[in-house]
């Protein structure tokens, strides 16, 4: 008998944390950051206290109370005493590993808390993107997926109360690569993996192959809005269990998902754990529609063009690079996106080389000091770096890739009246911060932008809460990272699973309603609940 316990991802989009137990063998399927629950208690200036280690995330229900699973350096003394009588509490001394589906933080973020000797299984691209995100991101202690700062108990000078203090020691995690021949990786790729982006020393942990896991595993590459995504197959004593991660059929790499359906179907799986983000959508916008609609919106634009699309969606970045070529503009990307492209090119030579690509430049935003990774980027691509005054003096030449959170650059750029803002993103749950559309409209109005594809406020009456909708004539500028309802049903039918378990969905009942004419049994786990198979 196999037990599946759902510590996250039930009746919510994201935060997947699934424990699979088969006798003494145990695996986690993703260990994501629970954005929904986090937002119920915290906001930008109210965060779990880094100095309290595991206490805040455990007490607020952001992490499951599984003693033995987490980093020892985050355990303040006697921390477990207050959790031992909680119903979800368990002692969990051994774990074979985490199967990571992709590098979106709602699937990967809480790996940061796990014991460092627990291996993470992923594709090479997912491992490299996770490291690029961490290298170039804020060093929030709960987002340290690939390496982390050790803490030690201490009392800051002059203070009375002790806390867990950050030390100089950085520990890298063990990543086991499922899909690539490690011997074929370049020396530069290995150097990237083992190098700390800052001055602090890193206790390195080289990449290894995934073959040492006590389960027989299958890694199926699938298409999603971030490269490197995969689904997993796990051979258990109850038969094969398939975990979809996040996927779609309508993206540029949709053929990968089709192949996954065929291959997973051949295993005659006992159970399929399937995402259901977009079950209520009836049709998809394709990436080539985004290209066509984006080109239409931008081709006659005067002045500056800003393209706003989800972070780490490299496929969308390449779509706008094509549009830039076709409209005779340069695509200006931020240093963090340039770092991501540079990293991906270590594994995939189809990714453009920034140095060689005539229509690609890097916009250096206005910051007080450059961190080491950004300084290195300037060294590598010096002639490609531009700043606000370069954009200001030749606004017709650029498509600037900004998100809402970069809009504070506008006072330096001084865009000409009638510049264009193209919104190519519509999935707030996919983004790691929620966009405040009201605030974005005010910025764009102040700088006299014309807007395309940006949701506008719909308010039935002054008392009602407003909703935001993209005007009908301006839709078709975003291809979702998730399959629509019909495609998800095709996936379930073709894989011919005996049991289907919906996750990552606010409407899991969709599957029971629409698969009633098949032999597929749909099982609904409760949050923190266990299913036996
Ligand atoms: Zn995702």
């Amino acid at each position: 008998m196999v037990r599946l316990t759902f510590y996250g991802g039930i009746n919510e989009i994201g935060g997947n944390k699934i424990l699979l137990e088969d006798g003494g063998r145990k695996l986690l399927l993703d260990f994501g950051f629970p954005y929904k629950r986090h937002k119920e208690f915290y906001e930008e200036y109210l965060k779990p206290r880094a100095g309290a280690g595991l206490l805040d995330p455990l007490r607020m229900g952001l992490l499951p109370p599984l003693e033995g699973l987490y980093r020892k350096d985050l355990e303040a003394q006697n921390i477990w005493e207050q959790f031992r009588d909680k119903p979800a509490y368990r002692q969990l001394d051994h774990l074979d590993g985490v199967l990571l589906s992709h590098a979106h933080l709602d699937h990967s973020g809480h790996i940061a808390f796990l014991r460092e000797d627990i291996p993470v299984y992923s594709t090479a691209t997912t491992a490299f993107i996770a490291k690029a995100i961490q290298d170039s991101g804020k060093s929030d202690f709960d987002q340290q997926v690939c390496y982390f700062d050790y803490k030690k108990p201490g009392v800051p000078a002059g203070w009375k109360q002790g806390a867990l203090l950050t030390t100089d020691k950085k520990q890298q995690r063990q990543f086991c690569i499922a899909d690539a021949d490690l011997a074929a990786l370049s020396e530069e790729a290995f150097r990237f993996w083992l190098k700390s982006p800052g001055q602090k020393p890193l206790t390195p942990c080289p990449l290894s192959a995934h073959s040492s896991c006590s389960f027989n595993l299958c890694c199926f590459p699938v298409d999603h809005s971030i490269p490197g995504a995969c689904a997993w197959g796990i051979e258990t004593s109850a038969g094969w269990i398939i975990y979809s991660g996040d996927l779609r059929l309508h993206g540029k790499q949709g053929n990968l998902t089709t192949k996954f359906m065929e291959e997973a179907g051949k295993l005659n799986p006992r159970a399929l754990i399937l995402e259901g983000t977009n079950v209520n959508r009836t049709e998809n916008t394709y990436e080539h529609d985004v290209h066509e609609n984006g080109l239409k919106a931008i081709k006659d634009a005067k002045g500056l063009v800003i393209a706003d699309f989800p972070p780490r969606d490299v496929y969308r970045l390449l779509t706008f690079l094509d549009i830039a070529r076709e409209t005779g503009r340069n695509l200006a990307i931020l240093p963090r996106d340039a770092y991501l492209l540079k990293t991906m090119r270590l594994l995939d030579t189809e990714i453009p080389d920034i140095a060689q690509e005539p229509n690609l430049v890097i916009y250096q935003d206005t910051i007080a000091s450059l961190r080491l990774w950004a300084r290195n980027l300037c060294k590598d691509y010096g002639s490609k770096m531009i700043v606000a005054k370069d954009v200001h003096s030749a606004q017709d030449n650029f498509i600037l890739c900004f998100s809402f959170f970069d809009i504070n650059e506008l006072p330096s750029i001084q865009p000409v009246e009638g510049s264009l803002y193209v919104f190519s993103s519509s999935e707030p749950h996919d983004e790691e911060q929620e966009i405040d559309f009201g605030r974005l409209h005010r910025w764009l109005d102040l700088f006299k932008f014309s807007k395309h594809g940006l949701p506008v406020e719909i308010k039935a009456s002054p008392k009602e809460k407003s909703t935001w909708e993209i005007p009908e004539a301006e839709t078709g500028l975003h291809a979702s990272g998730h399959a629509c309802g019909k495609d998800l049903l095709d996936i379930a039918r073709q894989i011919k699973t005996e049991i289907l378990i919906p996750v990552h969905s606010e409407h899991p009942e969709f599957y029971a309603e629409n698969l009633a004419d098949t032999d597929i049994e749909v099982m609904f786990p409760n949050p923190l609940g266990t299913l036996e198979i």
Side-chain angles (χ1 to χ4, degrees), residues 102 104 106-107 224-226 246 430 482 504:
H102 61 288
H104 279 150
D106 62 333
H107 293 253
H224 183 41
S225 47
I226 188 168
D246 288 351
D430 245 20
H482 303 276
H504 206 280

Side-chain angles (χ1 to χ4, degrees), residues 38 194 264 309 322 409 411:
H38 190 267
L194 292 174
F309 53 86
D322 283 340
E409 282 291 309

